[in-house]
Amino acid sequence: MLQALIFDMDGTLFQTDKILELSLEDTFNHLRHQNRWNTITPLNKFREIMGVPLPKVWETLLPDHSLAEREQTDAYFLERLIENITRGKGALYPNVIEIFSYLKKNNCSIYIASNGLTEYLNAIVSYYELDIWVTETFSIQQIQTLDKGDLVKTILNKYDFQSAAVVGDRLSDFYAARDNGLTSIGCNFDFAQEEELAMADFVIDDLGELKTIVHDF
């Protein structure tokens, strides 16, 4: 049986889609009000790149804006995300608590490794009381490279376990597993893309399916 599972957050544990459109629309309305944006909110473009670190997000969505403007936009977007989380606008995916409980009962440690910012991740963990099950949550902010493989390596260096898997929905998760000699489990959820899921060792349509995978190791 696996000793640890390292979960992505957005699109894997947390249904980011429920607050994404609200928060992004709020942010671009803010930009329009400041005369710094004059067209539609690029929601579809954001969906395409979902899962990359936020600095890369704003480079893509605001290519003609200055670094300072992108940083200001990032800060405002984070405020809107956190407010929508604390107002209960988001949701966990089905069976998150069930699988967490199962893993803990079977002595499988739980970690979160996300490209999300620390404050954002803490808001989700706090609101849904995930720290009851999760040993530690790691943000991409904790490393300089902004590489998820390096973030997963940080977990491996800190905690002593021999067998583990990375559970996520995007290519960065599967590469992070591969680069660290771990098993990758792809979640065929909202933001997943078929060609990326093909890189995962396993693909699931529901988190409850993890029971069988974890047990068979």
Side-chain angles (χ1 to χ4, degrees), residues 1-88:
M1 185 164 179
L2 288 172
Q3 293 177 311
L5 284 184
I6 302 170
F7 288 87
D8 176 44
M9 178 65 87
D10 292 314
T12 300
L13 296 176
F14 184 65
Q15 296 187 55
T16 317
D17 200 40
K18 290 184 177 297
I19 64 169
L20 179 64
E21 186 169 352
L22 286 171
S23 303
L24 202 65
E25 195 65 54
D26 286 346
T27 300
F28 277 85
N29 279 339
H30 180 67
L31 290 175
R32 281 186 279 263
H33 182 71
Q34 295 182 325
N35 295 317
R36 290 193 287 162
W37 191 260
N38 60 7
T39 185
I40 63 171
T41 300
L43 182 62
N44 288 335
K45 174 62 69 175
F46 191 39
R47 287 175 180 272
E48 290 174 11
I49 60 174
M50 186 71 186
V52 305
L54 279 171
K56 300 292 185 183
V57 168
W58 301 115
E59 284 179 21
T60 303
L61 299 187
L62 302 174
D64 300 324
H65 289 64
S66 68
L67 177 59
E69 287 177 314
R70 291 176 191 160
E71 290 175 346
Q72 291 167 6
T73 303
D74 186 34
Y76 187 85
F77 181 61
L78 179 61
E79 289 177 7
R80 301 310 304 157
L81 285 171
I82 291 174
E83 181 173 340
N84 283 321
I85 291 166
T86 57
R87 291 171 59 197

Coordinates of all heavy atoms in Angstrom, one line a residue, residues 1-88:
M1 N 0.8 -1.2 0.0 CA 0.0 0.0 0.0 C 0.9 1.2 0.0 O 2.0 1.3 0.6 CB -0.9 0.0 1.2 CG -1.9 1.1 1.2 SD -3.2 0.8 2.4 CE -4.2 2.3 2.2
L2 N 0.4 2.3 -0.7 CA 1.2 3.5 -0.8 C 1.3 4.1 0.6 O 0.4 4.1 1.4 CB 0.5 4.5 -1.7 CG 0.6 4.2 -3.2 CD1 -0.2 5.1 -4.0 CD2 2.1 4.2 -3.7
Q3 N 2.4 4.8 0.9 CA 2.6 5.4 2.2 C 2.2 6.9 2.2 O 1.9 7.4 3.2 CB 4.1 5.4 2.6 CG 4.6 4.0 2.8 CD 6.1 4.0 3.1 OE1 6.9 4.6 2.4 NE2 6.5 3.3 4.2
A4 N 2.1 7.5 1.0 CA 1.7 8.9 0.9 C 1.0 9.2 -0.4 O 1.4 8.6 -1.5 CB 2.9 9.8 1.1
L5 N 0.1 10.2 -0.4 CA -0.4 10.7 -1.6 C -0.2 12.2 -1.6 O -0.5 12.9 -0.5 CB -1.9 10.4 -1.7 CG -2.3 9.0 -2.2 CD1 -3.8 8.9 -2.3 CD2 -1.6 8.6 -3.5
I6 N 0.3 12.8 -2.7 CA 0.5 14.2 -2.8 C -0.5 14.8 -3.8 O -0.5 14.5 -5.0 CB 1.9 14.5 -3.3 CG1 2.9 13.9 -2.3 CG2 2.2 16.0 -3.4 CD1 4.4 13.9 -2.9
F7 N -1.5 15.6 -3.3 CA -2.6 16.1 -4.1 C -2.3 17.5 -4.6 O -1.8 18.3 -3.9 CB -3.9 16.1 -3.2 CG -4.5 14.8 -2.9 CD1 -4.1 14.0 -1.8 CD2 -5.4 14.2 -3.7 CE1 -4.6 12.8 -1.5 CE2 -6.0 13.0 -3.5 CZ -5.6 12.3 -2.3
D8 N -2.7 17.7 -5.8 CA -2.9 19.0 -6.3 C -4.1 19.6 -5.7 O -4.9 18.9 -5.1 CB -3.1 19.0 -7.9 CG -3.3 20.3 -8.5 OD1 -2.7 21.3 -8.1 OD2 -4.2 20.3 -9.4
M9 N -4.3 20.9 -5.7 CA -5.5 21.5 -5.1 C -6.6 21.9 -6.2 O -7.6 21.3 -6.3 CB -5.1 22.8 -4.4 CG -6.3 23.5 -3.7 SD -7.2 22.5 -2.5 CE -6.2 23.0 -1.0
D10 N -6.2 22.8 -7.1 CA -7.2 23.3 -8.0 C -7.5 22.3 -9.1 O -6.6 21.7 -9.7 CB -6.7 24.6 -8.7 CG -6.6 25.8 -7.8 OD1 -7.6 26.0 -7.1 OD2 -5.6 26.4 -7.8
G11 N -8.8 22.0 -9.3 CA -9.2 21.0 -10.3 C -9.0 19.5 -9.8 O -9.2 18.6 -10.6
T12 N -8.5 19.3 -8.6 CA -8.3 18.0 -8.1 C -9.1 17.8 -6.8 O -9.8 16.8 -6.6 CB -6.8 17.8 -7.9 OG1 -6.1 17.9 -9.1 CG2 -6.5 16.4 -7.3
L13 N -8.8 18.7 -5.8 CA -9.5 18.6 -4.5 C -10.6 19.7 -4.5 O -11.7 19.5 -4.0 CB -8.6 18.8 -3.3 CG -7.5 17.8 -3.1 CD1 -6.6 18.2 -2.0 CD2 -8.1 16.4 -2.8
F14 N -10.3 20.9 -5.0 CA -11.2 22.0 -4.9 C -11.8 22.4 -6.3 O -11.0 22.5 -7.3 CB -10.4 23.2 -4.4 CG -11.3 24.5 -4.2 CD1 -12.3 24.5 -3.2 CD2 -11.0 25.6 -4.9 CE1 -13.0 25.6 -3.0 CE2 -11.8 26.7 -4.7 CZ -12.8 26.7 -3.7
Q15 N -13.1 22.5 -6.3 CA -13.8 22.9 -7.6 C -13.6 24.4 -7.9 O -14.5 25.1 -7.7 CB -15.3 22.5 -7.5 CG -15.5 21.0 -7.4 CD -17.0 20.6 -7.4 OE1 -17.7 21.0 -8.4 NE2 -17.5 19.9 -6.4
T16 N -12.4 24.7 -8.3 CA -12.1 26.1 -8.6 C -13.0 26.7 -9.5 O -13.2 27.9 -9.5 CB -10.6 26.1 -9.1 OG1 -9.8 25.2 -8.4 CG2 -10.1 27.5 -9.1
D17 N -13.6 25.9 -10.4 CA -14.5 26.5 -11.4 C -15.7 27.2 -10.8 O -16.2 28.2 -11.5 CB -15.0 25.3 -12.3 CG -15.6 25.7 -13.6 OD1 -15.0 26.6 -14.2 OD2 -16.6 25.2 -14.1
K18 N -16.1 26.9 -9.6 CA -17.2 27.5 -9.0 C -16.9 29.0 -8.6 O -17.8 29.8 -8.5 CB -17.7 26.7 -7.8 CG -18.3 25.4 -8.1 CD -18.8 24.7 -6.9 CE -19.6 23.4 -7.3 NZ -20.8 23.6 -8.1
I19 N -15.6 29.3 -8.3 CA -15.3 30.7 -8.0 C -14.4 31.4 -9.0 O -14.2 32.6 -8.9 CB -14.6 30.7 -6.6 CG1 -13.3 30.0 -6.6 CG2 -15.5 30.2 -5.5 CD1 -12.4 30.3 -5.4
L20 N -14.0 30.6 -10.0 CA -13.1 31.1 -11.0 C -13.7 32.3 -11.8 O -13.2 33.4 -11.9 CB -12.6 30.0 -11.9 CG -11.7 30.4 -13.1 CD1 -10.4 30.9 -12.5 CD2 -11.5 29.2 -14.0
E21 N -14.9 32.0 -12.4 CA -15.5 33.0 -13.2 C -15.9 34.2 -12.5 O -15.7 35.3 -12.9 CB -16.8 32.4 -13.9 CG -17.4 33.3 -14.9 CD -18.5 32.6 -15.7 OE1 -18.6 31.3 -15.6 OE2 -19.2 33.3 -16.5
L22 N -16.4 34.0 -11.2 CA -16.8 35.1 -10.4 C -15.6 36.0 -10.1 O -15.7 37.3 -10.3 CB -17.4 34.6 -9.1 CG -18.8 34.0 -9.0 CD1 -19.0 33.4 -7.7 CD2 -19.8 35.1 -9.3
S23 N -14.5 35.4 -9.7 CA -13.3 36.2 -9.3 C -12.6 36.8 -10.5 O -12.2 38.0 -10.4 CB -12.3 35.2 -8.6 OG -13.0 34.6 -7.5
L24 N -12.6 36.1 -11.6 CA -11.9 36.7 -12.8 C -12.8 37.8 -13.4 O -12.2 38.8 -13.8 CB -11.7 35.6 -13.8 CG -10.6 35.8 -14.9 CD1 -9.3 35.9 -14.2 CD2 -10.6 34.8 -16.0
E25 N -14.1 37.6 -13.4 CA -14.9 38.7 -13.9 C -14.8 40.0 -13.0 O -14.7 41.1 -13.5 CB -16.4 38.2 -13.9 CG -17.3 39.1 -14.7 CD -17.0 39.1 -16.2 OE1 -16.9 38.1 -16.8 OE2 -16.8 40.3 -16.7
D26 N -14.8 39.8 -11.7 CA -14.6 40.9 -10.7 C -13.3 41.6 -11.0 O -13.2 42.8 -11.0 CB -14.5 40.4 -9.3 CG -15.9 40.0 -8.7 OD1 -16.9 40.3 -9.4 OD2 -15.9 39.3 -7.7
T27 N -12.2 40.8 -11.3 CA -10.9 41.4 -11.5 C -10.9 42.2 -12.8 O -10.3 43.3 -12.8 CB -9.9 40.3 -11.6 OG1 -9.9 39.5 -10.4 CG2 -8.5 40.8 -11.9
F28 N -11.5 41.7 -13.9 CA -11.4 42.4 -15.1 C -12.4 43.5 -15.2 O -12.2 44.5 -15.9 CB -11.6 41.4 -16.3 CG -10.3 40.8 -16.7 CD1 -9.9 39.6 -16.1 CD2 -9.5 41.3 -17.7 CE1 -8.7 39.0 -16.4 CE2 -8.3 40.7 -18.0 CZ -7.9 39.6 -17.4
N29 N -13.5 43.5 -14.4 CA -14.3 44.6 -14.2 C -13.5 45.8 -13.5 O -13.7 46.9 -13.9 CB -15.5 44.3 -13.3 CG -16.6 43.6 -14.2 OD1 -16.7 43.7 -15.4 ND2 -17.5 42.8 -13.5
H30 N -12.7 45.4 -12.6 CA -11.8 46.3 -11.9 C -10.9 47.0 -12.9 O -10.7 48.2 -12.8 CB -11.1 45.6 -10.8 CG -10.1 46.4 -10.0 ND1 -10.6 47.4 -9.2 CD2 -8.8 46.4 -9.9 CE1 -9.5 48.0 -8.6 NE2 -8.4 47.4 -9.0
L31 N -10.3 46.2 -13.7 CA -9.4 46.7 -14.8 C -10.1 47.6 -15.7 O -9.6 48.7 -16.1 CB -8.7 45.6 -15.5 CG -7.7 44.7 -14.8 CD1 -7.2 43.6 -15.6 CD2 -6.5 45.6 -14.3
R32 N -11.4 47.2 -16.1 CA -12.2 48.1 -17.0 C -12.5 49.4 -16.4 O -12.5 50.5 -17.0 CB -13.4 47.3 -17.5 CG -13.2 46.3 -18.5 CD -14.5 45.7 -19.0 NE -14.9 44.6 -18.2 CZ -14.7 43.3 -18.3 NH1 -14.1 42.9 -19.4 NH2 -15.2 42.5 -17.5
H33 N -12.8 49.4 -15.1 CA -13.1 50.6 -14.3 C -11.9 51.5 -14.3 O -12.1 52.7 -14.3 CB -13.6 50.2 -12.9 CG -14.0 51.4 -12.1 ND1 -15.1 52.1 -12.3 CD2 -13.3 52.0 -11.0 CE1 -15.2 53.1 -11.4 NE2 -14.1 53.1 -10.7
Q34 N -10.7 50.9 -14.3 CA -9.5 51.8 -14.3 C -9.0 52.1 -15.7 O -7.9 52.6 -15.9 CB -8.4 51.0 -13.5 CG -8.7 50.8 -12.1 CD -7.6 50.1 -11.4 OE1 -6.9 49.2 -11.9 NE2 -7.3 50.5 -10.1
N35 N -9.8 51.7 -16.7 CA -9.5 52.0 -18.1 C -8.2 51.2 -18.5 O -7.4 51.7 -19.3 CB -9.3 53.5 -18.4 CG -10.6 54.2 -18.3 OD1 -11.7 53.7 -18.7 ND2 -10.6 55.4 -17.7
R36 N -8.0 50.0 -18.0 CA -6.8 49.2 -18.3 C -7.2 47.9 -19.0 O -6.4 47.1 -19.3 CB -6.0 48.9 -17.0 CG -5.3 50.1 -16.4 CD -4.3 49.7 -15.4 NE -5.0 49.3 -14.1 CZ -4.4 48.5 -13.2 NH1 -3.1 48.2 -13.4 NH2 -5.0 48.2 -12.1
W37 N -8.5 47.8 -19.4 CA -9.0 46.7 -20.1 C -10.3 47.1 -20.8 O -11.1 47.7 -20.2 CB -9.2 45.5 -19.2 CG -9.5 44.2 -20.0 CD1 -10.7 43.6 -20.2 CD2 -8.5 43.4 -20.6 NE1 -10.5 42.5 -21.0 CE2 -9.2 42.3 -21.2 CE3 -7.1 43.4 -20.7 CZ2 -8.5 41.3 -21.9 CZ3 -6.4 42.4 -21.4 CH2 -7.2 41.3 -21.9
N38 N -10.4 46.8 -22.1 CA -11.6 47.3 -22.8 C -12.3 46.2 -23.7 O -13.0 46.5 -24.6 CB -11.2 48.4 -23.7 CG -10.1 48.1 -24.8 OD1 -9.8 46.9 -24.9 ND2 -9.6 49.1 -25.5
T39 N -12.1 44.9 -23.3 CA -12.8 43.9 -24.1 C -13.3 42.8 -23.1 O -13.3 43.1 -21.9 CB -11.8 43.2 -25.1 OG1 -12.5 42.3 -25.9 CG2 -10.6 42.6 -24.4
I40 N -13.7 41.7 -23.6 CA -14.3 40.7 -22.7 C -13.3 40.1 -21.8 O -12.1 40.1 -22.0 CB -15.0 39.5 -23.5 CG1 -13.9 38.8 -24.4 CG2 -16.1 40.1 -24.4 CD1 -14.5 37.5 -25.0
T41 N -13.8 39.5 -20.7 CA -12.9 38.8 -19.7 C -12.4 37.5 -20.4 O -13.2 36.7 -20.9 CB -13.7 38.4 -18.5 OG1 -14.2 39.6 -17.9 CG2 -12.8 37.7 -17.5
P42 N -11.0 37.2 -20.4 CA -10.5 36.1 -21.1 C -10.6 34.8 -20.3 O -9.6 34.1 -20.0 CB -9.0 36.5 -21.3 CG -8.7 37.4 -20.1 CD -10.0 38.1 -19.9
L43 N -11.8 34.4 -20.0 CA -12.0 33.2 -19.2 C -11.6 31.9 -19.9 O -10.9 31.1 -19.3 CB -13.5 33.1 -18.8 CG -13.9 31.9 -17.9 CD1 -13.2 32.0 -16.6 CD2 -15.4 31.9 -17.7
N44 N -11.8 31.8 -21.2 CA -11.5 30.6 -21.9 C -9.9 30.5 -22.0 O -9.4 29.3 -21.8 CB -12.0 30.6 -23.3 CG -13.5 30.4 -23.3 OD1 -14.1 29.8 -22.4 ND2 -14.2 30.9 -24.4
K45 N -9.2 31.6 -22.2 CA -7.8 31.5 -22.2 C -7.3 31.1 -20.8 O -6.3 30.3 -20.7 CB -7.2 32.9 -22.5 CG -5.7 33.0 -22.5 CD -5.0 32.0 -23.4 CE -5.2 32.4 -24.8 NZ -4.4 31.5 -25.8
F46 N -7.9 31.6 -19.7 CA -7.5 31.2 -18.4 C -7.7 29.7 -18.2 O -6.9 29.0 -17.5 CB -8.3 32.0 -17.4 CG -7.7 31.9 -16.0 CD1 -6.4 31.8 -15.7 CD2 -8.6 31.9 -14.9 CE1 -5.9 31.7 -14.4 CE2 -8.2 31.8 -13.6 CZ -6.8 31.7 -13.4
R47 N -8.8 29.2 -18.7 CA -9.1 27.7 -18.5 C -8.0 26.9 -19.2 O -7.6 25.9 -18.7 CB -10.4 27.4 -19.1 CG -11.6 27.9 -18.3 CD -12.9 27.6 -19.1 NE -14.1 28.0 -18.3 CZ -14.7 27.3 -17.4 NH1 -14.3 26.1 -17.1 NH2 -15.8 27.7 -16.8
E48 N -7.5 27.4 -20.4 CA -6.5 26.7 -21.1 C -5.2 26.5 -20.3 O -4.5 25.5 -20.5 CB -6.2 27.4 -22.4 CG -7.4 27.3 -23.4 CD -7.1 28.1 -24.7 OE1 -5.9 28.6 -24.8 OE2 -8.0 28.3 -25.5
I49 N -4.9 27.5 -19.6 CA -3.6 27.5 -18.9 C -3.7 27.2 -17.4 O -2.8 27.4 -16.6 CB -2.8 28.9 -19.1 CG1 -3.7 30.0 -18.5 CG2 -2.5 29.1 -20.6 CD1 -2.9 31.4 -18.6
M50 N -4.9 26.9 -17.0 CA -5.2 26.6 -15.6 C -4.2 25.6 -15.0 O -3.9 24.5 -15.7 CB -6.6 26.0 -15.4 CG -7.0 25.8 -14.0 SD -7.3 27.4 -13.2 CE -7.6 26.9 -11.5
G51 N -3.6 25.9 -13.9 CA -2.6 25.0 -13.3 C -1.2 25.5 -13.3 O -0.3 25.0 -12.6
V52 N -0.9 26.5 -14.2 CA 0.4 27.1 -14.2 C 0.5 28.2 -13.1 O -0.5 28.7 -12.6 CB 0.8 27.8 -15.5 CG1 0.6 26.8 -16.6 CG2 -0.1 29.0 -15.8
P53 N 1.7 28.5 -12.6 CA 1.9 29.5 -11.6 C 1.3 30.9 -12.0 O 1.3 31.2 -13.2 CB 3.4 29.6 -11.4 CG 3.9 28.3 -11.8 CD 3.0 27.9 -12.9
L54 N 0.8 31.6 -11.0 CA 0.1 32.8 -11.3 C 0.9 33.9 -12.1 O 0.3 34.6 -13.0 CB -0.5 33.5 -10.1 CG -1.8 32.8 -9.6 CD1 -2.3 33.3 -8.2 CD2 -3.0 33.1 -10.6
P55 N 2.2 34.0 -11.9 CA 2.9 35.0 -12.7 C 2.8 34.6 -14.2 O 2.7 35.5 -15.0 CB 4.4 34.8 -12.2 CG 4.2 34.4 -10.7 CD 3.0 33.5 -10.7
K56 N 2.8 33.3 -14.5 CA 2.7 32.9 -15.9 C 1.3 33.2 -16.4 O 1.1 33.5 -17.6 CB 3.0 31.4 -16.0 CG 4.4 31.0 -15.6 CD 5.4 31.5 -16.5 CE 6.8 31.0 -16.2 NZ 7.8 31.6 -17.1
V57 N 0.3 33.1 -15.5 CA -1.1 33.4 -15.9 C -1.2 34.8 -16.4 O -1.8 35.1 -17.5 CB -2.1 33.2 -14.7 CG1 -3.4 33.8 -15.0 CG2 -2.2 31.7 -14.4
W58 N -0.7 35.8 -15.6 CA -0.8 37.2 -15.9 C 0.1 37.6 -17.1 O -0.3 38.5 -17.9 CB -0.6 38.0 -14.7 CG -1.5 37.7 -13.6 CD1 -1.2 37.2 -12.4 CD2 -3.0 37.8 -13.7 NE1 -2.4 36.9 -11.7 CE2 -3.5 37.3 -12.4 CE3 -3.9 38.2 -14.6 CZ2 -4.8 37.3 -12.2 CZ3 -5.2 38.2 -14.4 CH2 -5.7 37.7 -13.1
E59 N 1.2 36.9 -17.3 CA 2.0 37.1 -18.5 C 1.1 36.8 -19.8 O 1.2 37.5 -20.8 CB 3.2 36.3 -18.5 CG 4.3 36.8 -17.6 CD 5.5 35.8 -17.6 OE1 5.7 35.0 -18.6 OE2 6.3 35.8 -16.7
T60 N 0.3 35.7 -19.6 CA -0.5 35.3 -20.8 C -1.7 36.1 -21.0 O -2.1 36.5 -22.1 CB -0.9 33.8 -20.6 OG1 0.2 33.0 -20.4 CG2 -1.7 33.3 -21.7
L61 N -2.4 36.5 -19.9 CA -3.7 37.2 -20.0 C -3.5 38.7 -20.2 O -4.3 39.4 -20.8 CB -4.5 37.0 -18.7 CG -5.0 35.6 -18.4 CD1 -5.9 35.6 -17.2 CD2 -5.6 34.9 -19.6
L62 N -2.3 39.2 -19.7 CA -2.1 40.7 -19.8 C -0.7 40.9 -20.4 O 0.2 41.5 -19.8 CB -2.1 41.3 -18.4 CG -3.4 41.2 -17.6 CD1 -3.3 41.7 -16.2 CD2 -4.6 41.8 -18.3
P63 N -0.5 40.4 -21.7 CA 0.8 40.5 -22.3 C 1.3 41.9 -22.5 O 2.5 42.2 -22.6 CB 0.7 39.8 -23.6 CG -0.8 39.9 -23.9 CD -1.5 39.8 -22.6
D64 N 0.4 42.9 -22.6 CA 0.8 44.3 -22.9 C 0.8 45.2 -21.7 O 1.1 46.4 -21.8 CB -0.2 44.9 -23.9 CG -0.2 44.1 -25.3 OD1 0.9 43.7 -25.7 OD2 -1.3 44.0 -25.9
H65 N 0.6 44.6 -20.5 CA 0.7 45.3 -19.3 C 2.0 45.2 -18.6 O 2.8 44.2 -18.8 CB -0.4 44.8 -18.3 CG -1.8 45.1 -18.7 ND1 -2.4 44.7 -19.9 CD2 -2.8 45.9 -18.1 CE1 -3.6 45.1 -20.0 NE2 -3.9 45.9 -19.0
S66 N 2.3 46.2 -17.8 CA 3.6 46.2 -17.1 C 3.7 45.1 -16.0 O 2.6 44.6 -15.6 CB 3.9 47.5 -16.5 OG 3.0 47.8 -15.5
L67 N 4.8 44.8 -15.5 CA 5.0 43.9 -14.4 C 4.2 44.4 -13.2 O 3.6 43.6 -12.5 CB 6.5 43.7 -14.1 CG 6.8 42.7 -12.9 CD1 6.2 41.4 -13.1 CD2 8.3 42.7 -12.7
A68 N 4.4 45.7 -12.9 CA 3.7 46.3 -11.8 C 2.2 46.1 -11.9 O 1.5 45.8 -10.9 CB 4.0 47.7 -11.6
E69 N 1.6 46.3 -13.1 CA 0.2 46.2 -13.3 C -0.3 44.7 -13.1 O -1.3 44.5 -12.6 CB -0.2 46.7 -14.7 CG -0.1 48.2 -14.9 CD -0.4 48.6 -16.3 OE1 0.1 48.0 -17.2 OE2 -1.2 49.6 -16.4
R70 N 0.6 43.8 -13.6 CA 0.2 42.4 -13.4 C 0.2 42.0 -12.0 O -0.6 41.3 -11.5 CB 1.3 41.5 -14.2 CG 1.2 41.6 -15.7 CD 2.3 40.8 -16.3 NE 2.4 41.1 -17.8 CZ 3.5 40.8 -18.5 NH1 4.5 40.3 -17.9 NH2 3.5 41.1 -19.8
E71 N 1.2 42.5 -11.2 CA 1.3 42.2 -9.8 C 0.1 42.8 -9.0 O -0.4 42.2 -8.1 CB 2.6 42.7 -9.2 CG 3.8 42.0 -9.7 CD 5.1 42.6 -9.2 OE1 5.1 43.7 -8.7 OE2 6.2 41.8 -9.3
Q72 N -0.3 44.0 -9.4 CA -1.5 44.6 -8.8 C -2.8 43.8 -9.1 O -3.6 43.6 -8.2 CB -1.7 46.1 -9.3 CG -0.6 47.0 -8.8 CD -0.6 48.3 -9.6 OE1 -1.5 48.6 -10.4 NE2 0.3 49.2 -9.3
T73 N -2.9 43.3 -10.3 CA -4.0 42.5 -10.8 C -4.0 41.2 -10.0 O -5.1 40.7 -9.6 CB -4.0 42.3 -12.3 OG1 -3.9 43.5 -13.0 CG2 -5.2 41.5 -12.7
D74 N -2.8 40.6 -9.9 CA -2.7 39.3 -9.2 C -3.2 39.5 -7.7 O -3.9 38.6 -7.2 CB -1.2 38.9 -9.2 CG -1.0 37.5 -8.6 OD1 -1.9 36.7 -8.7 OD2 0.0 37.3 -8.0
A75 N -2.8 40.6 -7.1 CA -3.2 40.8 -5.7 C -4.7 41.0 -5.6 O -5.3 40.5 -4.6 CB -2.5 42.1 -5.1
Y76 N -5.3 41.7 -6.5 CA -6.7 41.9 -6.5 C -7.5 40.6 -6.7 O -8.5 40.3 -6.0 CB -7.1 43.0 -7.5 CG -8.6 43.4 -7.5 CD1 -9.0 44.4 -6.6 CD2 -9.6 42.7 -8.2 CE1 -10.4 44.7 -6.5 CE2 -10.9 43.1 -8.2 CZ -11.3 44.1 -7.3 OH -12.6 44.5 -7.2
F77 N -7.0 39.8 -7.7 CA -7.6 38.5 -8.0 C -7.6 37.6 -6.8 O -8.6 36.9 -6.5 CB -6.9 37.9 -9.2 CG -7.4 36.6 -9.6 CD1 -8.7 36.4 -10.1 CD2 -6.6 35.5 -9.6 CE1 -9.2 35.2 -10.5 CE2 -7.0 34.2 -10.0 CZ -8.3 34.1 -10.5
L78 N -6.4 37.6 -6.1 CA -6.3 36.8 -4.9 C -7.3 37.2 -3.8 O -8.0 36.4 -3.2 CB -4.9 36.9 -4.3 CG -4.6 36.1 -3.0 CD1 -4.8 34.7 -3.2 CD2 -3.2 36.4 -2.5
E79 N -7.5 38.5 -3.7 CA -8.5 39.0 -2.7 C -9.9 38.5 -3.0 O -10.7 38.1 -2.2 CB -8.5 40.5 -2.7 CG -7.3 41.2 -2.1 CD -7.4 42.7 -2.2 OE1 -8.4 43.2 -2.6 OE2 -6.4 43.4 -1.9
R80 N -10.3 38.5 -4.3 CA -11.6 38.1 -4.8 C -11.7 36.6 -4.6 O -12.8 36.1 -4.2 CB -11.8 38.5 -6.2 CG -11.7 39.9 -6.6 CD -12.5 40.8 -5.6 NE -13.9 40.4 -5.6 CZ -14.8 40.7 -4.6 NH1 -14.3 41.3 -3.6 NH2 -16.0 40.3 -4.7
L81 N -10.7 35.8 -4.9 CA -10.8 34.4 -4.7 C -11.0 34.0 -3.2 O -11.9 33.2 -2.9 CB -9.5 33.7 -5.1 CG -9.2 33.6 -6.6 CD1 -7.8 33.1 -6.9 CD2 -10.2 32.6 -7.3
I82 N -10.2 34.6 -2.3 CA -10.4 34.3 -0.9 C -11.7 34.7 -0.4 O -12.3 34.0 0.4 CB -9.2 35.0 -0.1 CG1 -7.9 34.3 -0.5 CG2 -9.5 34.9 1.4 CD1 -6.7 35.0 0.1
E83 N -12.2 35.9 -0.8 CA -13.5 36.3 -0.3 C -14.6 35.3 -0.8 O -15.5 35.0 0.0 CB -13.9 37.7 -0.9 CG -15.2 38.2 -0.4 CD -15.5 39.6 -0.7 OE1 -14.6 40.4 -1.0 OE2 -16.7 40.0 -0.7
N84 N -14.5 34.9 -2.0 CA -15.5 33.9 -2.5 C -15.4 32.6 -1.8 O -16.4 31.9 -1.6 CB -15.4 33.7 -4.0 CG -15.9 34.9 -4.8 OD1 -17.0 35.4 -4.4 ND2 -15.3 35.3 -5.9
I85 N -14.2 32.2 -1.4 CA -14.0 30.9 -0.7 C -14.7 31.1 0.7 O -15.4 30.2 1.1 CB -12.5 30.6 -0.5 CG1 -11.9 30.2 -1.8 CG2 -12.3 29.5 0.5 CD1 -10.4 30.2 -1.8
T86 N -14.4 32.2 1.4 CA -14.9 32.3 2.7 C -16.4 32.6 2.8 O -17.0 32.4 3.8 CB -14.2 33.5 3.4 OG1 -14.3 34.7 2.7 CG2 -12.7 33.2 3.6
R87 N -16.9 33.0 1.6 CA -18.4 33.1 1.5 C -19.1 31.8 1.1 O -20.3 31.8 0.9 CB -18.7 34.2 0.5 CG -18.4 35.6 0.9 CD -18.5 36.6 -0.2 NE -19.9 36.7 -0.7 CZ -20.2 37.2 -1.9 NH1 -19.3 37.7 -2.6 NH2 -21.4 37.2 -2.3
G88 N -18.3 30.8 1.0 CA -18.9 29.5 0.7 C -19.3 29.3 -0.8 O -20.1 28.4 -1.1

